[in-house]
Amino acid sequence: MLACFIDHALDSMLEDSAHCTPSIQLMEAEVALYWRMICRHLQMEAQAKGSDAASTMGTEAAVYAAEASDSNDLLEQILPATISDYIDLVKAHIDAGPNYRFACRQLLLLGALLDFSDATNRKVASTFVLELLHKPFDHEVDQYGDMVVIGDGINLGGDKDWAEAVSGLARKVHAASGEFEEVVLGVVEEIARPCRERTADFMQWMHCLAVFGLCLEKARSYHCIQGRATEPAELLQSLLLPAAKHSHLEVQRIAVRCLGLFGLLEKKPSQELVKQLKVSFVKGPAPISIIACKALFDLGMWHNLQEVDRVVGQDVLSQHQDYDITSSPLNFSDTDGISNIKLLDLLYAGLIKDDWDNSLASDENESVQGALGEGFAKVLLVSENYKSMPTSLHPLLLSKLITLYFSNESKDLHRLKQCLSVFFEHYPSLSANHKKCISKSFITVMCSMWPGINGNAGGSAYVVSNMRKRAVQVSRFMLQIMQAPLYKNETEDGNDTGEVPEVIEEPPLECGEEGLAIRIATEVATFHTKKTPAEKSYVSALCRILVLLHFRLSEQGAIQLMRRLLIRVAESVSAEKDLVKELRRMADHLKALDRQPDQEMSQDQANLIFGRLELDFNMDFNVSVEMPQTPAPCSTKPTRRRKQVRLEEESSDEDSSPTSVVPNNLGTVSARSQRASKTAALSKMTAKTAFRIDEDDEDEEGSEVTSDEDSDGSD
């Protein structure tokens, strides 16, 4: 059935191909895809059955061998009869134009299934590969008469998938060790001649760099490109570095990409290469800065950050000093000094720089800050491998990534959002040190996002409300990743008996929720009782996160310290009764966890915990560890009595005009009658009438005070 389907779909094409007629029927995209996938399936099936036949014996082996032979026979029937037929078929689709680009790429990938062991076939295919490598970028002419490249302007043919298909066919044809690199570098030597002589236009520059980039990307090592037509060092000096300074931006962009690939092949990156990448990152427009940024990150992660700084003359010992980039931002206008700046200093300065011009970015989903965010996410994810990177920089980087993830500027950067989403999913679970970094970043992130704190700008009530909502969302997000479970290490997957341990070693205090709770409590305790509205909302938000944190029974020191800190925290938010109740509930829970609740904690023990958390906080040990009792709410009735007493005192001071004061029981009846039914209201009116008849000897002023008091009660 499979053979019938293939014969029906490709009958006319195969007939034309077999008879080598000049007219070849073009294939639709789906037919080319199905053809390649079915051929690939038959080849894999034949290989699998052949392996089964080799590993078995007797009748079973014979059955497997027969099935493998059937698959090979069917594959030979549906493939082109000769290599020349195959090449003619591909050329026909190339000449058909861009509408058949997809089908042509499927046919190029089909070449990986063909046999090029015969010298004649290999020679014919090699000539075709050279034609593909010599084919320049497709272009069109705009309304001003300028040539515009079609495609991405980086990969051969303007498409990464096309470049992959061409390189796959070339490696299949030139399968011997080093033969692929020799052929491609021979093409580079030929088409680079006008570039060296400075007679090439920008299209020739781009074509030459695209072919060289294909060689650099697929070369297995630096040794593979040595000893060829042109030495790599000569290509660096005569081709790559001049292209990176070319007047045409498209040439600069593809040259910077080749510089990054070239640096990855070197045993250690050359000084000129690193300096040029730094200058391109700082001075180039957005498309060039993005590629230079990615290249610098790749070099730093491949060769080690320390090695990259060493090649530009940086002192190795200074790597262990803290990065003070936040206190002294770099001057990006100083071109001469940029090349001597340490790599992490330069990249972090770019991360905190908020005036990048992304108007010329080639991809709407990419920006310079997005590329920097992706790079630092990769570095933090494997930070255990970079011991030379100062640990004090980790919280700063993480804080910036969290802020960038929730900022309005990144909502349209879908690539960055997806990258950071995957990063935050795995980062907290890889290492306990990562949780420590999250704990240290919490207060920094909240202070940077809350309006009215640390000089943050506010705005209208609507803007401030949205900023607070976002900051609360960030705090809950950080709490969530802080509480994510740790992954088991490879050494914990099993022991000699093959049993998997059920318990993972608990992280230390500074890496757990207890450390974060103490950090939040000390931050809240630093605010006095009198606070601005921004400070009140900020402290309240911190406390609502604080009550959600958990304490382990093994951390007795942290439990005792937290019980004392809760006194200060409760005093800071004493006006919010609901929050005080939550804090009291937390204090009761901590008291239940405390194995020695009556034992006093010493100053040295507290300072030891503060030192582990790198906190500078003065604790008052003269106060009780018990939470103060919440006062009962006051009734409104005493207030009314005080008002009546005040009226009596005022009336008694008026000697010339004595007043008649309504007794308290009448006021009480009046107050109750206002909340009763109509019958009670009539009773009140009757009582007032009777009272006035009995007190007819009182003067008119006394009657007015009584009426005023009644009206006050009704109000």
Side-chain angles (χ1 to χ4, degrees), residues 211-224:
V211 177
F212 190 35
L214 181 65
C215 178
L216 295 174
E217 188 176 8
K218 300 303 178 181
R220 293 184 176 91
S221 65
Y222 188 79
H223 175 72
C224 294

Side-chain angles (χ1 to χ4, degrees), residues 301-353:
M301 298 181 69
W302 182 256
H303 293 289
N304 197 301
L305 301 168
Q306 191 177 14
E307 182 65 27
V308 176
D309 286 334
R310 183 188 286 114
V311 299
V312 294
Q314 291 295 330
D315 185 10
V316 179
L317 296 179
S318 65
Q319 288 287 335
H320 298 283
Q321 299 176 0
D322 290 344
Y323 284 64
D324 55 354
I325 192 68
T326 54
S327 59
S328 56
L330 297 179
N331 183 13
F332 276 30
S333 61
D334 184 11
T335 308
D336 298 332
I338 284 175
S339 59
N340 297 322
I341 298 173
K342 295 177 184 178
L343 181 59
L344 274 183
D345 278 341
L346 182 65
L347 295 175
Y348 184 73
L351 186 64
I352 64 177
K353 185 175 182 289

Side-chain angles (χ1 to χ4, degrees), residues 661-676:
V661 180
V662 180
N664 289 338
N665 58 350
L666 182 59
T668 303
V669 172
S670 175
R672 291 178 179 176
S673 63
Q674 291 297 322
R675 295 185 297 270

Side-chain angles (χ1 to χ4, degrees), residues 482-544:
M482 187 67 189
Q483 294 177 338
L486 287 172
Y487 294 152
K488 292 183 179 180
N489 296 329
E490 294 181 358
T491 57
E492 296 176 347
D493 288 343
N495 46 27
D496 297 338
T497 60
E499 297 179 356
V500 179
E502 297 180 357
V503 181
I504 303 177
E505 183 179 355
E506 293 183 350
L509 168 66
E510 55 271 22
C511 304
E513 296 182 50
E514 300 87 358
L516 177 59
I518 294 175
R519 294 180 191 277
I520 295 177
T522 54
E523 173 73 7
V524 174
T526 56
F527 289 89
H528 302 288
T529 304
K530 294 183 178 180
K531 297 181 287 293
T532 63
E535 292 175 344
K536 290 180 181 179
S537 59
Y538 171 69
V539 169
S540 175
L542 290 181
C543 290
R544 297 189 186 281

